[in-house]
Amino acid sequence: MSGADRDAPAVTLLDVRVVRQGRAVLRVRELVVKRGEFLGVIGPNGSGKSTLLAVVAGRLRPATGKILGAGTAGGRVALAAQMTALDPRLPISILESVMVGAYAELGALRRPGPKVRARARQLLDMVGIAHLADRPIGLCSGGEAQRAAIARALLQRPDVLLLDEPTSALDWRAQREILACIKDIHSRLGLTTVMVTHELNALPELCDRVLVLRAGEPVWLGSAREALTPQRLAETFGIPFTVLDHRDRPVVLF
Ligand code: ADP
Ligand code: MG
């Protein structure tokens, strides 16, 4: 990717306002996600993080404003949604759950063919669970389900990958492995990635920039290092924070 491309916008939100049940839950005057960047999004529960992703993914229409660059005319956008509990009785395999990602492209009535199946297998390999292709989705761990969700999003061949709390409810090892996997995929596929997370200590390693949301509004955008100051975190989450400097990297204490 050339230097000029890198600063080009992948997605631009202009004067976007999202109203849910009569309440404005997201107000963004201007937000530019740069092509090729890894943007982290943090903020308290209910601050509009998932709403922001849903709007960029085209799953939710804003009451007013514009989203440029997303969708068919611009880059493709795919969302790996926040983890939902899967019914263990669901009779589909992990491979089939990934192939669901192709229906947007095929239309609901066409069955995905061998090409889609082969690509789904390839993606399972990329996210490290090729060996689980035929396992019923109800029988996989949280980490495995998250990897499958990422593969499902990648099947849509996105330019922009949106991840909503990909490490929530995972143990420490699974968290680190998923984050490493996401980082690898981001650079290997040359994606623009927007990741919502509460994993503050993962931000410096992964993110080019961090966006802070509070009560439905972006309140800060900048480097991960500067995002993780005690003052900024206290303002954002409404509790005091201690941040240590460890080998030139900020570490937020629980
Ligand atoms: P976050 O992801 O930061 O926790 P959300 O974007 O999910 O926050 O929610 C932002 C606000 O929108 C919250 O106040 C939430 O209650 C509200 N909200 C979310 N989903 C819906 C919905 N389907 N209908 C009505 N209000 C919703
Ligand atoms: Mg959310």
Side-chain angles (χ1 to χ4, degrees):
M1 189 172 294
S2 77
D5 274 354
R6 219 175 202 286
D7 268 347
V11 180
T12 305
L13 283 78
L14 283 177
D15 292 316
V16 167
R17 212 168 132 265
V18 179
V19 177
R20 283 179 142 171
Q21 300 186 329
R23 208 161 53 88
V25 294
L26 185 69
R27 290 170 303 273
V28 181
R29 205 176 55 73
E30 183 178 358
L31 173 66
V32 176
V33 183
K34 296 181 206 169
R35 196 173 294 177
E37 85 167 319
F38 198 123
L39 178 69
V41 180
I42 63 172
N45 291 330
S47 59
K49 303 181 298 298
S50 296
T51 302
L52 174 68
L53 295 191
V55 162
V56 172
R59 295 193 185 186
L60 194 60
R61 265 182 75 89
T64 60
K66 278 191 275 201
I67 295 130
L68 308 172
T72 45
R76 279 171 187 258
V77 180
L79 169 67
Q82 213 162 337
M83 184 107 66
T84 46
L86 291 172
D87 186 336
R89 291 163 304 181
L90 263 180
I92 65 171
S93 68
I94 292 189
L95 182 69
E96 286 163 334
S97 83
V98 170
M99 283 163 42
V100 167
Y103 282 107
E105 194 176 343
L106 292 171
L109 297 177
R110 285 183 49 205
R111 311 263 311 157
K115 264 196 192 152
V116 171
R117 183 172 287 268
R119 181 158 164 73
R121 278 195 188 278
Q122 216 176 27
L123 290 170
L124 280 181
D125 188 41
M126 192 181 284
V127 298
I129 50 170
H131 58 293
L132 301 178
D134 300 317
R135 181 174 294 187
I137 52 166
L139 300 182
C140 60
S141 71
E144 291 158 0
Q146 190 57 57
R147 286 169 194 263
I150 293 169
R152 180 158 56 248
L154 292 176
L155 195 73
Q156 296 164 52
R157 299 184 187 277
D159 302 301
V160 180
L161 177 64
L162 310 176
L163 301 160
D164 202 349
E165 298 192 25
T167 57
S168 64
L170 301 185
D171 70 39
W172 279 65
R173 177 177 176 167
Q175 283 195 26
R176 284 201 206 160
E177 288 176 353
I178 290 278
L179 290 171
C181 173
I182 288 169
K183 187 178 181 202
D184 175 58
I185 285 167
H186 169 78
S187 48
R188 194 133 54 109
L189 299 182
L191 298 173
T192 302
T193 303
V194 181
M195 180 176 79
V196 169
T197 187
H198 291 298
E199 236 11 86
L200 300 175
N201 288 325
L203 298 173
E205 171 77 13
L206 285 166
C207 300
D208 297 307
R209 295 192 300 166
V210 171
L211 172 71
V212 181
L213 284 183
R214 214 172 70 203
E217 293 190 38
V219 290
W220 194 80
L221 178 62
S223 73
R225 157 171 296 279
E226 291 170 89
L228 302 181
T229 64
Q231 297 88 324
R232 194 165 338 274
L233 294 174
E235 275 171 27
T236 304
F237 293 98
I239 48 163
F241 275 84
T242 305
V243 182
L244 304 182
D245 190 78
H246 176 69
R247 293 185 185 157
D248 230 20
R249 207 169 105 172
V251 178
V252 181
L253 295 191
F254 180 72

